[in-house]
């Protein structure tokens, strides 16, 4: 029997994951969000605390991070580390209408939303969002903490590094590599491998904004 879930983070992405999790047969114990949201409801599920309450639920539930990828994955990474440090387990959630090949691999905390497709030989890292209608083709590799957005096509043998955002309805041509910490804008066509950190967009996708070196 599946343990109930605690969803960590409110907002629109939380709604999408909550519905997908219920469709996959999970019960939702509650949502952890900002202090001012405690006591409110998200799709009839109560906000029962904040992320400081994670340790209290380690033995009662599994966790899913339901904060979206906003500009960068820093908040998702912080919450992932907080759950792990508390001894919590992250659930891997696959919506009822998604398809994941038995020959594919999904990391912990990854969520596959409705109508997404993960083909044979694909490997998807930890704490990844595979959004609605995204397609991860055969032997593609998706790194940790990525967001593959709605309707995106990652073709066969592609490699996407850690902490990447691939925007809605983008296409990655067969066999290309995308380095770590890269954002690809919506509707882009990535025809060649890209390594330099920054924001890419267009057809073909080119570097628009170079990442700042901290």
């Amino acid at each position: 029997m599946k343990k109930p879930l605690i969803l960590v983070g409110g907002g629109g992405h939380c709604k999408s994951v909550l519905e997908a999790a219920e469709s996959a047969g999970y019960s939702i114990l509650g949502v952890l969000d900002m202090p001012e949201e405690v006591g409110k409801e998200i799709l009839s599920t109560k906000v029962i605390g904040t992320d400081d309450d994670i340790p209290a639920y380690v033995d009662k539930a599994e966790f899913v991070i339901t904060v979206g990828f906003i500009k960068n994955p820093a908040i998702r990474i912080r919450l992932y580390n907080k759950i792990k440090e508390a001894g919590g387990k992250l659930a891997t959630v696959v919506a009822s209408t998604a398809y994941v090949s038995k020959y594919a691999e999904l990391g912990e905390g990854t969520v596959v939303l409705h109508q997404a497709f993960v083909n044979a030989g694909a490997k998807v890292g930890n704490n990844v969002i595979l959004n609605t209608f995204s397609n991860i083709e055969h032997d593609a590799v998706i790194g940790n903490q990525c967001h593959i957005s709605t309707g995106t096509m990652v073709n066969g043998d592609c490699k996407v590094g850690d902490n990447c955002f691939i925007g809605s309805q983008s296409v990655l041509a067969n066999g290309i590599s995308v380095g770590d910490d890269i954002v690809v804008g919506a509707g882009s066509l990535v025809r060649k491998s890209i390594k330099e950190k920054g924001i890419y967009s267009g057809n073909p996708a080119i570097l628009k904004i170079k990442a700042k070196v901290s």
Side-chain angles (χ1 to χ4, degrees):
M1 185 176 179
K2 294 178 179 178
K3 270 193 170 184
L5 296 181
I6 294 285
L7 308 184
V8 187
H13 184 62
C14 178
K15 293 177 182 179
S16 296
V17 176
L18 191 158
E19 195 283 329
E22 288 183 336
S23 81
Y26 285 97
S27 62
I28 313 298
L29 188 57
V31 178
L32 303 180
D33 201 8
M34 302 299 289
E36 61 270 22
E37 302 300 318
V38 175
K40 297 180 181 179
E41 290 188 348
I42 298 174
L43 300 182
S44 301
T45 297
K46 186 167 284 189
V47 179
I48 57 175
T50 71
D51 58 22
D52 289 334
D53 297 309
I54 287 170
Y57 294 101
V58 164
D59 295 326
K60 300 176 183 177
E62 295 181 355
F63 296 87
V64 179
I65 296 167
T66 49
V67 175
F69 191 140
I70 304 169
K71 295 184 179 179
N72 63 66
I75 296 174
R76 290 181 59 83
I77 293 171
R78 178 181 66 79
L79 293 172
Y80 177 89
N81 290 337
K82 195 166 187 175
I83 292 166
K84 297 291 285 184
E85 289 164 6
K89 181 179 179 181
L90 287 113
T92 300
V93 175
V94 178
S96 61
T97 62
Y99 176 80
V100 177
S101 168
K102 66 180 182 180
Y103 301 109
E105 298 178 17
L106 300 179
E108 63 177 0
T110 286
V111 175
V112 185
L113 292 177
H114 283 293
Q115 301 293 334
F117 187 97
V118 184
N119 214 336
K123 296 181 180 179
V124 180
N126 299 329
N127 198 23
V128 170
I129 301 167
L130 299 183
N131 219 322
T132 310
F133 281 106
S134 58
N135 189 341
I136 311 301
E137 265 302 333
H138 67 86
D139 302 306
V141 177
I142 308 296
N144 299 319
Q145 324 285 357
C146 290
H147 184 164
I148 310 301
S149 199
T150 49
T152 291
M153 174 72 74
V154 178
N155 275 297
D157 295 305
C158 285
K159 291 179 174 59
V160 177
D162 295 338
N163 311 326
C164 291
F165 181 94
I166 312 297
S168 296
Q169 296 189 326
S170 295
V171 177
L172 276 58
N174 290 67
I176 67 155
S177 296
V178 174
D180 297 340
D181 303 300
I182 285 171
V183 173
V184 174
S188 297
L189 174 57
V190 184
R191 296 180 178 178
K192 296 181 180 180
S193 295
I194 49 180
K195 297 181 180 179
E196 186 176 5
K197 297 178 182 179
I199 299 174
Y200 293 75
S201 65
N203 180 2
I206 59 172
L207 181 63
K208 298 290 186 177
I209 301 175
K210 188 174 181 178
K212 294 180 181 178
V213 178
S214 55

